[in-house]
Amino acid sequence: MSGREAQQTIHVDGAWRSAASGATREILDPADGRSFAVVAEGDEKDADTAVEAARRAFDEGAWPRTPAAERAALLRRVADFLVRDREELGLLESRDAGKTVEEGRVDIDCVADAFRYFADLVAAEGAGRVVDAGSPDVHSVVVHEPVGVCALITPWNYPLLQASWKVAPALAAGNSFVIKPSEITPLTTVALIELLVEAGLPAGVANIVTGPGQSVGARLAEHPGVDLVSFTGGLVSGTKVARAAAEGVKKVALELGGKNPNVVFADACATDEGFDTAVDQALNAAFIHSGQVCSAGGRLIIEESVRDRFVAELARRAERIRLGRGTEQGVECGPLVSEQQREKTEAYVASALVEGAVLRAGGRRPEPSSARPATGYFYEPTVLDRCHRGMKVVREEVFGPVLTVETFRTEDEAVALANDTEYGLAGAVWTADAGRARRVAGRLRHGTVWINDFHPYLPQAEWGGFGKSGVGRELGPAGLAEYREAKHVYHNLRPKPVRWFAG
Ligand code: NAD
């Protein structure tokens, strides 16, 4: 823990501190509701101090002017440290967010991949794009410079992964930053800052303030010393962040929620193998990390002729998912992150049943067991049949283990249903017909479209949403461009008077 006290989770200008007010927060294990760590509960004052430090590091420090190859080397060192600490960090992510340890480990691998990807991207770049100015006496070049001080605000479902999609490109581009992780899952982000310090990042470049969104997050979004705000979270907070950032005309990137369709055509289920794969992946799409995934496939849109068989098998398998503490051997799915998240899920299921949905699996809290303490926030994977687009559960993001089933008869109807959402983050189409696959993929208004798959992403491919799923992109070259300003340098090699004005 680099010699810091447990509650010293604010890192400003190279030093670990407690909150200026002295306030602290207990971090709860979602599997039993018990406190297992304590962190600083920062407020606006801590946010201000952190922005001032990041401002100094950017305006006066060496990092923005450090050659790209050196910045890339530092990012690669961080990736190596992540691999070295994989077990410890994977376990910490599991306890903090409630996911299984295996999911936690996979998250850490993906975090290391993000650091390596952005290191490779900047290391391979040239020194700018030469533009033909139409004269041999002019040398014109467009260069990309860091945007400045970045405020990075992250959610609780993939705490370190979401942080890495911001921290790695921000640093690769030469920025300084202040990060505010979710107040309920801050621990691995604090650990990441320790790794950045260990890797030799200059003081003041990477700052973290643990604390609530309404105080620390809101202050960062409006702070005049911040040049860019990159936010991942829900639509309600994202809208507030965008409004605050607009007041200061800051650059803003938003990764918000999703209501993601999983469209299954009957031809995908024509063979036993095809049927089994589509069912298996539909379960994965909806229930991985208890559905607390922005791209969760919580909306199954299936061709009517195969609905009964498909839903019966889905329900059978959903009932068998082994729920429990993420650190327990053999557990496939952990609890929800908080009691609030569980109650929200229960309210969506209750409203769906009132609106006419038919419960095929789950729909309740499981019996406690040795792997599932009664005080944990568990909820059974739930399948709701006979749903339609008028229902609240179909329109709004649940962020819990709930799968709704709607049906279609024609390709046009399938596309219309899949696009009938205010969001547009991700969606999938399952079919054995390659022509149909390409046609439907082309018509889906979502930032990621999977054909005969669900959930994979690549660090080299942009991630982000259409519609209310957000503004801007993470990952890929566009995910680096978010953290930069383009500058045109026009060099006249033979200056002469213009003589526009007489005399
Ligand atoms: P949230 O919006 O409640 O919180 C996200 C972050 O914003 C937290 O750090 C929170 O403290 C902070 N925050 C809250 N109010 C704020 C304010 N007024 N000003 C500034 N910051 C504020 O979201 P959550 O519940 O932590 O995460 C779940 C949401 O995140 C879901 O909607 C999910 O879809 C979304 N998400 C999206 C992606 C994506 O890539 N599009 C990825 C992960 C999660």
Side-chain angles (χ1 to χ4, degrees):
M1 271 213 301
S2 46
R4 64 177 175 83
E5 304 284 319
Q7 81 288 357
Q8 289 182 324
T9 55
I10 293 177
H11 187 76
V12 173
D13 218 1
W16 288 101
R17 340 172 153 191
S18 306
S21 69
T24 57
R25 171 188 290 259
E26 306 278 335
I27 300 300
L28 307 184
D29 182 338
D32 58 21
R34 295 215 187 98
S35 164
F36 74 102
V38 64
V39 296
E41 182 83 328
D43 62 19
E44 292 87 344
K45 209 167 158 200
D46 299 291
D48 286 350
T49 323
V51 173
E52 284 156 24
R55 195 71 262 166
R56 274 194 306 279
F58 186 79
D59 294 339
E60 300 158 26
W63 183 250
R65 283 156 288 280
T66 298
E70 284 178 38
R71 294 200 303 269
L74 186 136
L75 294 190
R76 290 195 189 104
R77 277 203 293 286
V78 174
D80 292 344
F81 294 161
L82 286 159
V83 172
R84 179 195 69 192
D85 297 349
R86 179 178 188 259
E87 283 303 306
E88 194 187 327
L89 291 170
L91 183 63
L92 196 57
E93 200 72 317
S94 161
R95 289 203 74 188
D96 211 359
K99 57 183 71 185
T100 63
V101 181
E102 191 46 33
E103 284 176 73
R105 291 187 190 116
V106 172
D107 281 8
I108 305 309
D109 293 339
C110 295
V111 171
D113 286 347
F115 274 86
R116 284 201 200 93
Y117 169 70
F118 285 108
D120 292 349
L121 197 59
V122 289
E125 282 180 332
R129 177 168 53 95
V130 176
V131 177
D132 183 356
S135 162
D137 295 332
V138 174
H139 181 257
S140 201
V141 63
V142 176
V143 294
H144 291 96
E145 297 188 349
V147 69
V149 173
C150 305
L152 312 177
I153 302 174
T154 51
W156 48 256
N157 58 338
Y158 286 86
L160 197 57
L161 187 62
Q162 298 301 333
S164 73
W165 291 9
K166 302 182 190 305
V167 168
L171 291 179
N175 297 283
S176 63
F177 70 81
V178 180
I179 190 165
K180 192 212 86 66
S182 167
E183 53 272 45
I184 57 176
T185 58
L187 301 178
T188 49
T189 311
V190 172
L192 175 66
I193 301 295
E194 291 181 315
L195 297 185
L196 294 174
V197 172
E198 186 184 348
L201 194 68
V205 175
N207 306 277
I208 180 170
V209 180
T210 49
Q214 302 89 304
S215 54
V216 180
R219 181 66 184 139
L220 291 176
E222 69 178 16
H223 199 294
V226 167
D227 299 294
L228 169 144
V229 188
S230 177
F231 172 91
T232 302
L235 182 55
V236 174
S237 339
T239 308
K240 288 186 192 158
V241 165
R243 205 173 286 133
E247 282 293 322
V249 198
K250 297 184 198 323
K251 287 177 171 294
V252 66
L254 303 173
E255 290 291 339
L256 307 178
K259 191 71 201 178
N260 312 290
N262 187 18
V263 178
V264 180
F265 283 89
D267 62 21
C269 305
T271 63
D272 287 348
E273 196 188 345
F275 175 77
D276 177 54
T277 303
V279 170
D280 184 77
Q281 292 248 11
L283 282 174
N284 209 51
F287 298 132
I288 195 94
H289 194 17
S290 291
Q292 302 167 115
V293 183
C294 51
S295 53
R299 252 186 107 187
L300 175 67
I301 298 175
I302 187 157
E303 193 161 349
E304 203 172 80
S305 58
V306 282
R307 186 257 300 275
D308 288 347
R309 181 173 167 230
F310 200 96
V311 172
E313 180 61 4
L314 254 184
R316 188 188 71 77
R317 289 198 47 191
E319 296 275 8
R320 291 162 56 122
I321 292 175
R322 289 196 289 273
L323 286 184
R325 187 191 284 281
T327 51
E328 201 81 25
Q329 194 71 23
V331 158
E332 295 171 329
C333 200
L336 295 181
V337 77
S338 63
E339 182 57 40
Q340 190 192 9
Q341 204 58 29
R342 177 163 68 171
E343 285 172 3
K344 198 178 140 204
T345 303
E346 288 174 326
Y348 274 113
V349 173
S351 84
L353 296 177
V354 168
E355 289 178 297
V358 176
L359 186 67
R360 298 281 186 215
R364 59 191 175 130
R365 300 178 180 199
E367 290 297 319
S369 70
S370 57
R372 270 191 317 261
T375 48
Y377 313 129
F378 296 96
Y379 192 76
E380 289 187 358
T382 299
V383 178
L384 294 170
D385 199 2
R386 310 265 164 194
C387 292
H388 58 78
R389 47 178 141 176
M391 292 176 173
K392 197 170 144 76
V393 72
V394 173
R395 307 207 70 81
E396 297 178 13
E397 183 184 46
V398 176
F399 232 57
V402 178
L403 177 61
T404 61
V405 183
E406 299 158 81
T407 55
F408 66 87
R409 289 204 181 124
T410 66
E411 192 176 304
D412 282 348
E413 213 185 324
V415 170
L417 279 173
N419 284 340
D420 186 20
T421 167
E422 62 178 349
Y423 292 109
L425 187 62
V429 51
W430 290 83
T431 174
D433 175 340
R436 168 182 276 160
R438 297 298 287 270
R439 264 194 319 275
V440 173
R443 293 173 69 191
L444 291 185
R445 301 279 301 157
H446 296 268
T448 294
V449 176
W450 293 288
I451 299 173
N452 297 337
D453 213 322
F454 209 105
H455 276 321
Y457 78 92
L458 302 170
Q460 59 272 34
E462 276 74 3
W463 176 266
F466 288 31
K468 289 191 179 167
S469 285
V471 175
R473 290 292 180 270
E474 296 200 295
L475 301 178
L480 178 63
E482 296 281 355
Y483 293 90
R484 286 174 155 173
E485 295 278 16
K487 180 190 277 180
H488 176 200
V489 181
Y490 180 106
H491 186 178
N492 190 339
L493 304 165
R494 291 181 77 188
K496 292 191 281 264
V498 180
R499 300 287 181 225
W500 178 274
F501 298 110

